[in-house]
Amino acid sequence: ALEKLSMLAEQSPELLIVWRTSGYYDGDTESHVIKEMNIRALQFIRDWNSKHRRRGNGSGGNFLCMDFGAAVERISHGRKRLRGDMQAHYGLEVRILQVQMLTNLMY
């Protein structure tokens, strides 16, 4: 998915693309897998932007990453989790956090 989005970002520099890293499922004993996927996504996007800045292709800033996973990691498990309507969903506070993070990223 990231490779396809990076191709789209390259072909359409006026288009802003934002990748949101994944949050965590409450009770998941394999959350280290999600964390590793998030780290790889962040690195892919950083490398892509760095490469495009060096080439002189504009700012290379139309492919962004919102690191939601890092922001919610400590409030994702057990009693600390800000629960939503289902076990896999976060509550209202976390949804508002996503909006705030996206706003900060864009402006």
Side-chain angles (χ1 to χ4, degrees), residues 2-103:
L2 286 169
E3 286 152 357
K4 295 278 187 194
L5 287 174
S6 68
M7 289 170 48
L8 182 61
E10 193 163 358
Q11 294 168 356
S12 305
E14 72 285 348
L15 182 66
L16 179 62
I17 298 170
V18 178
W19 179 271
R20 181 188 71 101
T21 60
S22 180
Y24 298 88
Y25 183 77
D26 190 20
D28 183 8
T29 58
E30 301 292 321
S31 63
H32 66 279
V33 174
I34 291 174
K35 187 172 187 171
E36 180 62 30
M37 288 173 36
N38 287 344
I39 289 168
R40 289 180 186 204
L42 280 164
Q43 193 58 53
F44 180 93
I45 294 169
R46 279 189 198 120
D47 291 348
W48 187 89
N49 280 302
S50 177
K51 181 174 88 173
H52 285 78
R53 272 191 218 95
R54 282 196 308 272
R55 281 191 194 163
N57 297 351
S59 67
N62 66 321
F63 190 15
L64 306 175
C65 188
M66 186 174 86
D67 197 1
F68 175 73
V72 298
E73 184 175 12
R74 67 177 183 79
I75 57 167
S76 293
H77 303 288
R79 287 190 212 137
K80 291 182 180 179
R81 185 173 179 91
L82 297 174
R83 299 187 190 287
D85 60 337
M86 298 174 60
Q87 188 175 10
H89 292 177
Y90 290 99
L92 178 62
E93 298 92 342
V94 178
R95 294 184 185 275
I96 292 171
L97 171 66
Q98 287 183 75
V99 173
Q100 182 181 12
M101 289 178 72
L102 183 59
T103 302

